């Protein structure tokens, strides 16, 4: 199946999925950074809705007022708490961005094209990179492929680009002989989670990457897509029978 043509037909625009080139580096990193940073406001709103946050927002200013008798001090306490919550919502995303820029995204060509079984694609439209996705072998299980950094520019969403990128990764996994494709995403990424489930990924488990994620009540959800050969093996069982 030609995913380049499919992306064009679904969006009615000259989108082209191709392998990453070194000249794409600046645009890819800008797109990646924008994609990460856009989750910060969503996370902040999520934190504000938590029951424990509501208790703090009401209780802390009240305590300061009862102790000091000053509404001004109570207001300062409330604003300080909001600033702290804003920092908390930003910190894990910033940390993830910095970590990625120091690891696989520091040298995309080396990380994704230095050995077989991995790749990095971009979506190009009128000379601009408007989408991207990467694929690397799982660290401990080489028969499994990790889908990484799926991102589409905000103004180009809703046109089937993300779906075409995921299909590109799935086809690559089949061609390379992988048995599964794994992907992890946070619960803040609602559209990504919905996309993976619509495309046949199965939700496996969720966990917290660190204490900051736990404090924000933002778990990371893991999904897996079993390729046809893997599904057939599971159905037949070890003995090869039904």
């Amino acid at each position: 199946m030609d995913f380049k043509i499919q992306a064009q037909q679904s969006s009615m625009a000259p989108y082209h999925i191709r392998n990453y080139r070194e000249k794409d580096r600046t645009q890819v990193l800008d797109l990646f950074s924008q994609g990460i940073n856009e989750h910060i406001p969503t996370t902040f709103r999520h934190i504000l809705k938590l029951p424990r946050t509501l208790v703090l927002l009401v209780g802390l200013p009240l305590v300061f007022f009862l102790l000091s008798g000053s509404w001004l001090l109570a207001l300062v306490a409330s604003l300080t708490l909001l600033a702290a919550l804003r920092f908390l919502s930003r910190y894990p995303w910033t940390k993830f961005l910095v970590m990625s820029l120091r690891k696989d995204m520091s040298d995309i060509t080396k990380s994704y094209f230095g050995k077989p079984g991995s790749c990095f694609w971009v979506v190009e439209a009128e000379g601009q990179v408007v989408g991207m996705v990467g694929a690397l072998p799982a660290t401990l299980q080489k028969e499994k492929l990790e889908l990484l950094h799926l991102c589409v520019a905000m103004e180009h969403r809703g046109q089937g680009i993300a779906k075409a990128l995921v299909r590109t990764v799935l086809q690559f996994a089949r061609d390379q002989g992988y048995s599964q494709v794994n992907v992890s995403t946070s619960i803040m990424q609602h559209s990504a989670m919905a996309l993976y489930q619509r495309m046949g990924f199965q939700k496996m488990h969720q966990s917290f990457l660190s204490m900051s994620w736990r404090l924000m009540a933002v778990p990371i959800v893991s999904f897996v897509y079993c390729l046809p050969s893997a599904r057939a093996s599971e159905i037949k069982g070890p003995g090869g029978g039904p």
Side-chain angles (χ1 to χ4, degrees):
M1 184 180 294
D2 191 336
F3 294 110
K4 298 175 184 178
I5 296 175
Q6 184 177 30
Q8 293 175 13
Q9 291 176 339
S10 64
S11 62
M12 299 303 290
Y15 296 116
H16 175 60
I17 299 177
R18 59 169 175 79
N19 286 1
Y20 167 87
R21 302 168 189 161
E22 196 58 36
K23 69 180 181 65
D24 303 320
R25 177 175 173 77
T26 299
Q27 293 187 58
V28 165
L29 294 184
D30 286 345
L31 179 61
F32 179 57
S33 299
Q34 292 168 12
I36 296 298
N37 288 329
E38 74 179 54
H39 299 311
I40 295 173
T42 306
T43 304
F44 182 55
R45 291 191 294 270
H46 168 76
I47 293 175
L48 292 179
K49 295 176 183 178
L50 296 175
R52 59 175 176 262
T53 303
L54 296 176
V55 171
L56 281 173
L57 288 173
V58 174
L60 186 64
L62 181 60
V63 169
F64 271 84
F65 174 74
L66 293 176
L67 292 176
S68 66
S70 171
W71 282 112
L72 178 60
L73 189 59
L75 177 61
V76 170
S78 181
L79 293 176
T80 301
L81 176 59
L82 286 172
L85 293 174
R86 178 68 177 181
F87 173 80
L88 178 62
S89 66
R90 176 182 295 273
Y91 174 74
W93 293 110
T94 303
K95 184 178 180 180
F96 173 75
L97 176 61
V98 171
M99 181 182 66
S100 298
L101 294 177
R102 288 177 177 174
K103 292 185 176 180
D104 62 305
M105 298 295 283
S106 65
D107 189 336
I108 297 173
T109 300
K110 180 179 179 181
S111 299
Y112 290 88
F113 296 94
K115 55 185 177 181
S118 56
C119 196
F120 198 99
W121 298 267
V122 299
V123 180
E124 185 178 22
E126 298 180 350
Q128 298 296 312
V129 173
V130 300
M132 66 181 198
V133 71
L136 286 174
T139 304
L140 300 177
Q141 297 172 307
K142 299 301 182 181
E143 75 279 4
K144 299 179 181 180
L145 187 68
E146 292 280 353
L147 186 155
L148 300 164
H149 308 318
L150 176 65
C151 185
V152 176
M154 187 173 295
E155 61 272 21
H156 293 273
R157 293 175 188 172
Q159 303 178 45
I161 297 176
K163 187 175 183 180
L165 283 169
V166 173
R167 284 180 171 170
T168 300
V169 174
L170 295 178
Q171 186 60 57
F172 176 80
R174 292 186 185 95
D175 294 343
Q176 296 291 317
Y178 286 102
S179 63
Q180 290 183 10
V181 176
N182 299 336
V183 63
S184 298
T185 187
S186 78
I187 61 167
M188 294 293 95
Q189 296 161 277
H190 305 295
S191 58
M193 291 179 60
L195 172 66
Y196 296 138
Q197 290 178 308
R198 285 198 307 269
M199 297 190 68
F201 283 78
Q202 299 298 314
K203 182 179 177 180
M204 298 301 291
H205 58 83
Q206 60 184 42
S207 60
F208 296 100
L209 293 180
S210 66
M211 182 56 67
S212 57
W213 292 103
R214 185 178 294 275
L215 287 173
M216 297 188 305
V218 178
I220 302 300
V221 184
S222 297
F223 292 91
V224 62
Y225 186 98
C226 292
L227 296 166
S229 58
R231 290 198 187 101
S233 297
E234 291 173 357
I235 293 172
K236 291 180 179 179

